[in-house]
């Protein structure tokens, strides 16, 4: 029999005839990729090499109209649907097995409206592409994450933590409006004055409400030279450093963002001989403000204990954003988990010390994001993101190369997370949630009191749950 076989929303088989496929493709600005196509394997490759999915049909969209046609097709025929932004979701949610993928890889343009300090970001653009459009020519940036190949869409829809979080809030907090294709195939504008419920939901609620074809996000003036201080301490000094950091952040200026990481000292001349390749604690300290202020604010952290090395530098923002890039190549094996903690308590520090030393892979890091500042001043119900009370986000980022080491790394991550959640809280940051969990539980814990409202908005815009291959908010009512 001719045509292609697709998976339905309820797991049933759906056959699209050749003539229907040809007609559908003829109406697109973009193009189709089917399993027989030579581009298929490249098109279904994901950042996380642990995940392999085989969609039945990938549609490389080139316009909002293309996206609307895909949504109509999926809804009318009951086809399982996934949406690919930057393809960097840790859980691999950009693809679905057997279904249709709305692939935004070719929709990545970024346009700056400098007069109004706004940037228009297409649904498939990466963080690096956004910075390249806003910073060199205009000295402007919008808050995002810290690795340039990550997709803006997936990151911003669930929050988006980065160096500017304490100064300007999450990526989601800086969304001024979106163009979104909803389940009925319409292209809607959502902003403070148009569809305000949808606008509230997309700021933290994820991809359950439709396909965002374009974000309008706020820009902020950013210095031409930015300090990224990176003192590195031996593991034995880590508890004292972390206690100092905990106290220091209580009154730290919003400009100062610290990302701590139990990691591995690099084999480079900046690290004292004998410490290269050893377990270590990094403080990565970014200051979004004048260099004189940066020196003053950063010095106490750099000097709180003797270091084994220091990678501090002053550079343009676009270079700061590349600091981690080479540590997260495409296709490596990744298993990441995350949890919020109200405080970095002594028992948590003790547990982290134990976990740092038992890492099965020296590529793995345990990251500690200092929250607070502008991020922390947004009310729990102001955006869908939810409570901002936690002072720290703890991420277990297990990274390794050999598939034979999968079990050891996954087991270590799960065990460590369980232990830390007993001391912290069980709420997970969904952008770092990874796979292998009960997603319904994660969603419930993450959104807390906001879940009810999110489910009602979902019922209004997607009553049959067409957009479900994500950290799914089910329609209520
Ligand atoms: C190397 C790396 C570094 C990271 N660093 C950070 C960081 O610094 N801060 C942080 O907060 N997070 C970070 N993350 C986590 C990241 O935010 C999530 O993995 C996010 O899902 C990536 O978005 P994406 O568009 O690349 O993902 P995709 O895999 O394309 O999509 C992710 C989810 O969003 C949905 N989606 C994507 N595009 C759209 C759209 N246009 N409209 C509607 N739904 C859409 C997808 O359906 C899917 O459910 C990082 C991840 C990686 C892999």
């Amino acid at each position: 029999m001719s045509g292609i076989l697709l998976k339905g929303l309820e797991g049933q088989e759906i056959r699209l005839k050749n003539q229907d496929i040809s007609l559908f493709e003829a109406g697109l600005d973009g193009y189709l990729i089917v399993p027989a196509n030579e581009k298929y394997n490249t098109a279904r490759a994901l950042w996380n090499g642990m995940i392999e999915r085989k969609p039945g049909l990938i549609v490389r969209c080139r316009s909002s109209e293309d996206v609307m046609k895909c949504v109509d097709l999926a809804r009318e025929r009951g086809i399982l649907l996934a949406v690919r932004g930057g393809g960097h979701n840790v859980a691999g949610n950009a693809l679905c097995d057997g279904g249709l993928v709305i692939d935004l890889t070719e929709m990545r343009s970024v346009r700056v409206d400098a007069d109004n300090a706004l940037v228009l970001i297409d649904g498939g653009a990466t963080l690096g592409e956004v910075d390249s459009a806003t910073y060199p020519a205009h000295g402007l940036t919008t808050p995002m994450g810290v690795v340039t190949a990550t997709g803006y869409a997936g990151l911003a829809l669930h929050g988006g933590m980065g160096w500017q979080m304490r100064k300007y809030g999450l990526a989601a907090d800086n969304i001024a409006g979106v163009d979104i294709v909803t389940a009925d195939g319409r292209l809607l504008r959502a902003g403070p004055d148009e569809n305000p419920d949808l606008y509230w939901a997309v700021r933290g609620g994820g991809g359950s409400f439709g396909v965002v074809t374009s974000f309008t996000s706020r820009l902020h003036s950013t210095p031409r030279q930015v300090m990224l201080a990176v003192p590195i301490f031996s593991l034995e000094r880590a508890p004292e450093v972390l206690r100092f950091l905990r106290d220091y952040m209580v009154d730290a200026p919003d400009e100062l963002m610290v990302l701590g990481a139990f990691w591995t000292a690099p084999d480079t001349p900046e690290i004292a001989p004998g410490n290269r390749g050893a377990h270590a604690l990094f403080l990565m300290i970014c200051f979004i403000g004048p260099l004189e202020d940066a020196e003053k604010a950063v010095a106490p952290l750099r000097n709180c204990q003797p270091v084994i090395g220091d990678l501090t530098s002053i550079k343009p923002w676009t270079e700061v954003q590349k600091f981690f890039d080479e540590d997260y190549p495409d296709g490596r094996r990744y298993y990441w988990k995350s949890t919020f903690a109200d405080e970095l308590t002594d028992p948590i520090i003790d547990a982290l010390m134990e976990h740092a030393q038992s890492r099965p892979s020296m590529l793995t890091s345990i990251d500690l994001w200092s929250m607070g500042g502008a991020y922390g001043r947004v009310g729990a119900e102001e955006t869908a993101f939810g409570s901002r009370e936690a002072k720290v986000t703890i991420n277990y980022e297990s990274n390794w190369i050999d598939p034979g080491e999968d079990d050891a790394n996954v087991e270590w991550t799960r065990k460590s997370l369980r232990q830390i959640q007993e001391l912290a809280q069980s709420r997970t940051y969904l952008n770092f949630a990874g796979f292998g969990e009960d997603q319904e539980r994660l969603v419930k814990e993450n959104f807390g009191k906001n879940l009810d409202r999110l489910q009602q908005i979902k019922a209004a815009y997607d009553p049959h749950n067409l957009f479900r291959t994500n950290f799914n908010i089910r329609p209520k009512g």
Side-chain angles (χ1 to χ4, degrees):
M1 230 199 291
S2 60
I4 51 170
L5 205 56
L6 294 173
K7 192 178 192 175
L9 285 166
E10 309 308 329
Q12 78 277 28
E13 286 188 348
I14 294 168
R15 184 169 292 278
L16 291 190
K17 291 188 204 139
N18 281 339
Q19 66 194 68
D20 292 341
I21 301 164
S22 303
L23 205 63
F24 177 67
E25 187 166 28
L28 294 176
D29 296 318
Y31 56 96
L32 307 183
I33 300 175
V34 294
N37 194 297
E38 59 176 24
K39 286 185 181 161
Y40 179 73
N41 280 335
T42 319
R44 71 183 182 88
L46 289 171
W47 166 79
N48 192 346
M50 289 282 278
I51 300 170
E52 192 188 5
R53 297 210 170 122
K54 294 185 176 167
L57 176 63
I58 299 172
V59 185
R60 283 268 164 93
C61 296
R62 286 192 172 133
S63 61
S64 297
E65 289 72 27
D66 281 1
V67 174
M68 292 158 80
K69 284 173 186 153
C70 290
V71 170
D72 284 342
L73 178 70
R75 187 192 60 253
E76 284 161 10
R77 302 294 303 266
I79 302 165
L80 184 67
L81 187 65
V83 181
R84 182 186 184 118
H88 267 55
N89 186 256
V90 186
N93 286 343
L95 302 183
C96 57
D97 270 323
L100 186 160
V101 174
I102 295 180
D103 183 330
L104 303 178
T105 304
E106 301 221 357
M107 289 176 63
R108 322 156 66 127
S109 98
V110 181
R111 299 166 304 282
V112 178
D113 173 359
D115 291 342
N116 293 303
L118 293 171
V119 55
L120 278 71
I121 304 168
D122 274 4
T126 63
L127 309 194
E129 288 159 353
V130 177
D131 277 329
S132 299
T134 64
Y135 182 76
H138 307 281
L140 297 168
T141 62
T142 192
M144 305 184 287
V146 300
V147 175
T148 64
T150 315
Y152 179 83
L155 175 127
L157 288 169
H158 266 306
M161 301 178 180
W163 297 122
Q164 292 154 303
M165 176 174 53
R166 285 173 42 84
K167 175 82 174 146
Y168 299 119
L170 295 168
D173 298 334
N174 287 274
I175 296 175
V178 294
D179 294 332
I180 181 168
V181 177
T182 46
D184 56 7
R186 284 184 302 159
L187 177 65
L188 300 182
R189 180 73 185 164
D193 304 321
E194 287 166 279
N195 299 302
D197 49 352
L198 198 50
Y199 175 57
W200 179 83
V202 296
R203 287 176 298 146
S208 288
F209 303 92
V211 187
V212 177
T213 54
S214 176
F215 294 82
T216 306
S217 302
R218 290 184 201 101
L219 289 168
H220 305 275
S221 176
T222 303
R224 285 299 177 188
Q225 294 290 311
V226 177
M227 176 180 280
L228 181 65
V230 188
I232 304 174
F233 303 90
S234 68
L235 198 64
E236 65 192 14
R237 298 202 182 270
E240 280 314 309
V241 174
L242 290 179
R243 281 191 265 275
F244 184 87
L245 172 68
R246 175 180 66 199
D247 296 342
Y248 191 71
M249 292 313 289
V250 173
D251 295 318
D254 288 357
E255 287 77 9
L256 188 86
M257 170 65 204
V258 182
L259 186 45
F262 286 99
W263 213 0
T264 303
D267 186 3
T268 57
E270 294 91 348
I271 305 298
N275 291 290
R276 296 171 191 163
H279 295 288
L281 177 76
F282 290 55
L283 292 187
M284 287 151 292
I285 313 162
C286 189
F287 191 91
I288 311 292
L291 288 178
E292 321 77 85
D293 297 350
E295 294 282 359
K296 266 189 236 137
V298 162
L301 288 166
R302 283 177 82 185
N303 300 323
C304 68
Q305 288 283 319
V307 297
I308 57 168
D310 197 320
L311 304 178
T312 297
S313 59
I314 291 169
K315 45 196 171 195
W317 175 252
T318 32
E319 294 305 308
V320 170
Q321 286 285 76
K322 290 180 188 156
F323 180 78
F324 293 107
D325 278 6
E326 64 183 34
D327 297 305
Y328 301 106
D330 287 354
R332 195 176 264 176
R333 306 189 84 70
Y334 297 104
Y335 193 78
W336 291 8
K337 295 285 162 208
S338 164
T339 197
F340 291 104
D342 289 343
E343 295 285 351
L344 192 57
T345 61
D346 285 352
I348 290 180
I349 293 174
D350 291 346
L352 290 169
M353 286 293 288
E354 196 192 313
H355 300 160
Q357 292 167 85
S358 59
R359 291 176 298 154
S361 163
M362 293 301 270
L363 297 172
T364 291
S365 64
I366 308 171
D367 298 351
L368 310 171
W369 295 68
S370 300
M371 313 303 280
Y375 160 87
R377 291 192 289 273
V378 178
E381 287 159 35
E382 276 182 61
T383 67
F385 183 83
S387 166
R388 312 277 180 125
E389 279 169 14
K391 300 278 190 317
V392 189
T393 303
I394 303 173
N395 286 345
Y396 286 84
E397 297 196 354
S398 284
N399 309 336
W400 68 101
I401 292 165
D402 180 359
E405 293 167 5
D406 286 1
D407 288 349
N409 284 283
V410 169
E411 203 177 301
W412 173 85
T413 317
R414 296 180 72 82
K415 191 169 154 221
S416 305
L417 181 84
R418 259 199 317 274
Q419 285 175 354
I420 220 75
Q421 286 192 323
E422 279 168 18
L423 299 166
Q425 44 171 281
S426 54
R427 183 176 168 224
T428 286
Y429 174 41
L430 293 178
N431 267 341
F432 287 119
F435 57 94
E437 301 293 331
D438 172 355
Q439 296 214 351
E440 205 171 335
R441 176 181 64 77
L442 291 185
V443 166
K444 215 168 161 184
E445 284 174 356
N446 182 272
F447 292 111
K449 286 188 190 149
N450 285 346
L451 185 59
D452 201 52
R453 184 172 171 197
L454 281 165
Q455 288 187 295
Q456 286 171 21
I457 297 170
K458 174 78 173 178
Y461 290 94
D462 184 11
H464 303 296
N465 202 10
L466 184 62
F467 300 105
R468 61 177 69 177
T469 58
N470 41 44
F471 287 100
N472 192 226
I473 291 160
R474 291 171 198 248
K476 189 175 196 169

